[in-house]
Amino acid sequence: MKIWAVANQKGGVGKTTTAVTLAGLLAEKGHRTLLVDMDPHGSLSSYFGFEPDELDNSIYNFFQAVANGVRIEPEPVIRTTRVANLSLMPASMALATLDRQLGVRKGTGLVMVKALREVRERFDYVLIDCPPVLGVLMINALAACEKLLMPVQTEFLAQKGLERMLKTLEMVQRNGQQPLPRVIIPTMYDRRTRASIDAWAALRNSYPEYIWESTIPVDTGFRDASKAGLPLSMLRPRSRGVIAYSKLLQYLLRPEQTVVELKAQAS
Ligand SMILES: Nc1ncnc2c1ncn2[C@@H]1O[C@H](COP(=O)(O)OP(=O)(O)O)[C@@H](O)[C@H]1O
Ligand SMILES: [Mg+2]
């Protein structure tokens, strides 16, 4: 089971859209895919018709279980969606109170690691949609994932949220561990605007080692897809947005090169 987190400490940059679209493409390929909504706003849950203020079971259950010292029960939290191979662990409003409730209590940062361990036989891929704030939820997502996807809107001041995110990452980076692999994804790219062109160039310039070489274009289909409650690939399989995310997925799924191979290439 592979676990990817989608994060940026800025709202409206395409985090939820990236999680839904990539998950839809993975599910279409036949991979058993799980989306995890870790944003108390619950926009990912709402996307699939689960209202965060009406849910009895959400990932909040896991935090409660750990706080009460009882076993984590993932079953009641997992919901199927209208999409084959695609399941969801929804958020609920209660998540917004977590930081106040358990802020610095020991073990709180590893709740999602434990919860996902319970489902590791059931899914091939897990995509975690993160909140835009640094807190218990973000810490949990970063601890649980093996790859971090960072959508960045190609606009003026795009780098501000990203810099904050990278600083957060440094702060929470566990001692002695390998740095978390990360991919910067330029989103909402409009090649007709100066702001997009400049922002993309600045990102490539500042983060050549992390940036994905292409962009996700502006595509109004994403709005229609969220209204329909389906990944865009199921609504408009040939749209520009889907083509771009398919290319991104191909990049994310490429076989990781080993250090030995990289060294051989360099010499
Ligand atoms: N590539 C895109 N082109 C056009 N609209 C987009 C694109 N990506 C996201 N959007 C829209 O922008 C808004 C914010 O995106 P969202 O994924 O919810 O951001 P975040 O999760 O970072 O807050 C949504 O209305 C979404 O439909
Ligand atoms: Mg979101």
Side-chain angles (χ1 to χ4, degrees):
M1 190 174 82
K2 297 232 181 298
I3 308 174
W4 302 342
V6 186
N8 183 339
Q9 275 167 272
K10 195 166 184 305
V13 297
K15 291 186 291 296
T16 301
T17 304
T18 297
V20 170
T21 314
L22 289 176
L25 289 167
L26 283 164
E28 242 169 62
K29 284 175 176 282
H31 298 299
R32 298 165 304 163
T33 306
L34 174 69
L35 276 166
V36 181
D37 191 356
M38 296 202 67
D39 187 348
H41 287 124
S43 33
L44 176 61
S45 307
S46 308
Y47 195 112
F48 289 99
F50 300 104
E51 287 314 320
D53 48 350
E54 295 167 3
L55 291 174
D56 290 329
N57 293 302
S58 74
I59 60 165
Y60 184 72
N61 293 20
F62 305 149
F63 290 87
Q64 246 176 343
V66 170
N68 297 334
V70 299
R71 213 186 126 78
I72 287 181
E73 305 270 8
E75 250 6 272
V77 180
I78 300 173
R79 313 298 288 252
T80 52
T81 69
R82 286 199 281 151
V83 183
N85 299 321
L86 185 58
S87 300
L88 169 76
M89 284 181 176
S92 64
M93 305 278 268
L95 284 176
T97 63
L98 274 186
D99 279 290
R100 202 159 15 103
Q101 280 177 10
L102 0 134
V104 289
R105 233 189 266 178
K106 222 175 150 219
T108 314
L110 296 176
V111 172
M112 287 313 291
V113 170
K114 291 178 189 153
L116 292 175
R117 207 179 283 151
E118 298 289 323
V119 298
R120 66 177 168 228
E121 305 296 335
R122 285 191 53 174
F123 297 103
D124 303 309
Y125 287 91
V126 179
L127 273 90
I128 305 176
D129 190 19
C130 291
V133 288
L134 172 60
V136 170
L137 292 161
M138 173 91 83
I139 302 282
N140 265 272
L142 293 178
C145 74
E146 65 211 52
K147 205 193 278 282
L148 180 64
L149 315 184
M150 294 183 288
V152 179
Q153 189 175 352
T154 46
E155 49 140 36
F156 185 56
L157 294 182
Q159 293 200 24
K160 287 286 165 218
L162 179 62
E163 277 164 22
R164 205 151 15 115
M165 187 65 230
L166 290 169
K167 226 173 255 161
T168 295
L169 209 53
E170 245 168 69
M171 261 164 51
V172 304
Q173 194 72 61
R174 299 135 289 185
N175 281 342
Q177 279 185 306
Q178 295 282 330
L180 193 58
R182 57 204 74 176
V183 180
I184 295 170
I185 304 163
T187 60
M188 300 185 215
Y189 185 71
D190 182 349
R191 59 195 165 89
R192 294 164 308 181
T193 69
R194 195 73 241 168
S196 267
I197 295 164
D198 289 349
W200 187 29
L203 285 171
R204 280 188 317 229
N205 202 26
S206 304
Y207 308 102
E209 70 278 44
Y210 301 134
I211 197 159
W212 172 51
E213 72 264 9
S214 190
T215 57
I216 303 296
V218 170
D219 186 337
T220 53
F222 287 113
R223 213 179 320 130
D224 304 332
S226 79
K227 262 190 219 142
L230 289 170
L232 184 57
S233 56
M234 295 193 63
L235 204 68
R236 299 208 195 114
R238 288 167 204 280
S239 58
R240 297 192 299 160
V242 171
I243 291 167
Y245 272 108
S246 303
K247 215 163 124 188
L248 172 62
L249 183 60
Q250 215 172 16
Y251 173 78
L252 295 173
L253 293 177
R254 77 201 184 286
E256 302 286 346
Q257 284 179 309
T258 62
V259 175
V260 178
E261 284 166 348
L262 286 172
K263 276 195 184 141
Q265 269 174 17
S267 61

